[in-house]
Amino acid sequence: MDRRNEISIGTLANRTGLAVSAIRYYETQGLVAPERNAGGQRRFLRSDIRRLSFVMIAQKFGFTLDRIRDVLGRLPQSRTPTAKDWTEISQDFRAELDEQIAALTRLRDKLDGCIGCGCLSLDRCALYNPDDVAADKGAGPRYLMGDEAVRPEA
């Protein structure tokens, strides 16, 4: 590791806003891999600031640590990731984020109406989900999960 690119765990904590204990936890999860100096102190790459910042953002979007670890595992450990490396990583998440955005949009737009859950507690559910036809599509709020409401023949 190039000593000019080395930072201490305290510096990494200050730069990311993470607690030192959180950084140690992420280390045990394989999300960062510091080296140790002669005194046994952890030494991180300066690029670990971005790596851990990415972890924080990905978690806020609901990605699991397993999924984040899988994606970050494709970044090089032996060198600082390039813009091209990060672009490839972002492409992986783009489709998943687009699906989440679509699901959130459906939730926002349909939450006050029938969601296909089968409770039939709203008067409008008799129009959108008569006799709980959504149950034929499976469990859960079918219409919010993306199933189309099928209106009965008049």
Side-chain angles (χ1 to χ4, degrees):
M1 187 184 306
D2 183 350
R3 290 181 122 341
R4 291 172 297 159
N5 289 325
E6 290 180 357
I7 58 174
S8 69
I9 195 168
T11 300
L12 186 57
N14 286 337
R15 293 297 307 276
T16 61
L18 290 167
V20 168
S21 59
I23 295 170
R24 288 187 191 123
Y25 174 74
Y26 288 141
E27 178 185 355
T28 67
Q29 295 301 305
L31 299 170
V32 288
E35 292 188 8
R36 302 272 180 160
N37 66 11
Q41 296 173 325
R42 291 171 175 85
R43 289 293 179 238
F44 294 85
L45 288 174
R46 199 165 269 294
S47 60
D48 286 332
I49 296 169
R50 183 173 181 131
R51 183 180 291 264
L52 289 179
S53 295
F54 177 81
V55 170
M56 294 165 57
I57 291 167
Q59 283 187 292
K60 285 189 183 216
F61 283 122
F63 292 101
T64 66
L65 286 182
D66 286 340
R67 177 71 175 110
I68 297 166
R69 185 183 317 102
D70 176 55
V71 171
L72 288 179
R74 290 185 299 224
L75 287 177
Q77 291 291 333
S78 58
R79 65 170 170 77
T80 299
T82 64
K84 182 180 180 219
D85 294 325
W86 283 108
T87 297
E88 290 173 9
I89 294 284
S90 70
Q91 300 289 325
D92 280 352
F93 276 3
R94 182 173 298 276
E96 292 173 63
L97 289 171
D98 286 344
E99 288 175 20
Q100 286 183 7
I101 290 167
L104 287 170
T105 300
R106 282 192 306 273
L107 176 63
R108 181 199 64 209
D109 293 347
K110 295 182 180 179
L111 193 57
D112 64 340
C114 179
I115 61 175
C117 66
C119 76
L120 304 176
S121 65
L122 297 175
D123 292 337
R124 290 191 341 192
C125 291
L127 299 174
Y128 291 101
N129 190 22
D131 301 319
D132 194 16
V133 295
D136 294 339
K137 299 174 184 282
R142 301 310 311 175
Y143 301 156
L144 283 183
M145 294 166 58
D147 293 339
E148 289 295 319
V150 179
R151 296 196 181 186
E153 300 288 326

